[in-house]
Amino acid sequence: MTQPILQLSGARLALDGNAGRVEILHGIDLSVEKGETLGLIGPSGSGKSSLLMLMGGLERATAGRIEALGQDLTTMSEDALARFRSKHMGVVFQSFHLLPTMTALENVATPLELAGATDAFDRARAELDAVGLAHRADHYPAQMSGGEQQRVALARASAPRPQILLADEPTGNLDGTNGQAIIELLFSLRDRHGATLIMVTHAPELAAQCSRVIRLRDGHLDTQSQTPPQTTPQTQTQTQTEAAQ
Ligand SMILES: Nc1ncnc2c1ncn2[C@@H]1O[C@H](COP(=O)(O)OP(=O)(O)OP(=O)(O)O)[C@@H](O)[C@H]1O
């Protein structure tokens, strides 16, 4: 049997806020296979974004173990974790998170340059072309629509060819038409590069496009709601609408 691309064992997250310590995730056990598309659903505040941040190494687990591509993220130094993330993970956020002082081209090229690519700008142009925005290369985020900004963010996330793509409500700030266009792009980039996709969403119809859906409740995985992984994860047309609702 092949090793899961992501493996969480007893992963816990607690954060210190003004009102004291908040227990957010209570011991998550989860395996994600290479090539899966995994939908993360659950009520507001159930811990979906927190879980995604743990899987992306953007938040440190308080306890437990998180392995990505066989490497333990919980024991890596900050520098090693940053290098690992830039090489293997791409993240797309609800609010785009583009750098406002950089053009679309610079936003896409920067992570490639940081990863040491000598042809960062040529590759960034090709990525912008792939999301239909070659003509916007020299535009700043404020000069673009929300849908266009999210396409730039998708180009930036997929440009280094990460093995793991994480998306946190990628259509949350977009209307239905723009949202559907982003999802189609996200899945096509994922299919083209063979990445594993994990997506937080409130939209049952988006979760239904994933090969597996899991639900969080109050920081716990609701194992009753899990759909089994599809044997052919490349097939995105199979729906599990019931599981997503
Ligand atoms: N920095 C923080 N300090 C304290 N508590 C936090 C912090 N960040 C998040 N939380 C709490 O952790 C819980 C889970 O938050 P999280 O954003 O992961 O949930 P979510 O399921 O993604 O919610 P939503 O669907 O509304 O985005 C919430 O109760 C939230 O208030």
Side-chain angles (χ1 to χ4, degrees):
M1 194 170 151
T2 56
Q3 188 180 42
I5 196 158
L6 266 169
Q7 174 108 49
L8 284 74
S9 316
R12 303 181 77 89
L13 178 67
L15 291 174
D16 293 314
N18 293 340
R21 179 153 262 232
V22 187
E23 300 286 338
I24 296 172
L25 296 170
H26 306 274
I28 304 286
D29 295 312
L30 176 66
S31 281
V32 183
E33 302 301 323
K34 185 170 166 27
E36 269 197 82
T37 52
L38 182 69
L40 265 182
I41 61 169
S44 185
S46 58
K48 303 179 296 295
S49 297
S50 303
L51 181 56
L52 201 74
M53 295 301 105
L54 278 192
M55 292 196 275
L58 291 159
E59 194 78 74
R60 290 271 190 186
T62 318
R65 193 176 165 89
I66 300 172
E67 280 182 35
L69 295 129
Q71 296 198 44
D72 187 355
L73 303 187
T74 53
T75 54
M76 270 186 204
S77 68
E78 284 301 327
D79 282 355
L81 193 52
R83 278 197 302 276
F84 186 87
R85 279 200 311 261
S86 71
K87 194 160 175 209
H88 300 296
M89 310 240 186
V91 189
V92 182
F93 299 94
Q94 177 175 355
S95 50
F96 323 135
H97 286 203
L98 297 178
L99 291 168
T101 55
M102 288 188 179
T103 63
L105 185 66
E106 289 164 345
N107 264 285
V108 180
T110 298
L112 293 169
E113 280 194 306
L114 290 175
T118 50
D119 55 351
F121 278 81
D122 288 341
R123 282 173 60 187
R125 254 179 227 290
E127 292 297 327
L128 280 177
D129 196 26
V131 299
L133 283 182
H135 61 298
R136 295 287 194 177
D138 297 326
H139 288 225
Y140 289 90
Q143 299 170 317
M144 288 183 278
S145 71
E148 287 168 343
Q149 288 183 58
Q150 194 61 307
R151 279 149 71 189
V152 175
L154 274 184
R156 177 181 60 180
S158 65
R161 302 282 181 271
Q163 297 201 48
I164 301 171
L165 264 176
L166 304 165
D168 193 354
E169 296 192 48
T171 62
N173 278 349
L174 304 175
D175 64 27
T177 310
N178 275 309
Q180 188 50 39
I182 287 295
I183 288 302
E184 283 168 19
L185 258 180
L186 185 59
F187 277 93
S188 79
L189 290 173
R190 175 241 163 248
D191 285 346
R192 186 137 34 97
H193 308 319
T196 302
L197 171 66
I198 304 170
M199 176 170 66
V200 168
T201 183
H202 279 283
E205 67 278 12
L206 296 191
Q209 294 180 47
C210 294
S211 59
R212 180 163 56 128
V213 178
I214 58 171
R215 184 190 296 270
L216 273 175
R217 274 189 211 284
D218 296 328
H220 296 274
L221 268 193
D222 181 350
T223 47
Q224 299 301 312
S225 72
Q226 288 206 42
T227 56
Q230 298 290 319
T231 48
T232 52
Q234 305 294 338
T235 309
Q236 300 308 327
T237 48
Q238 293 159 311
T239 60
Q240 290 105 32
T241 309
E242 304 86 334
Q245 287 169 342

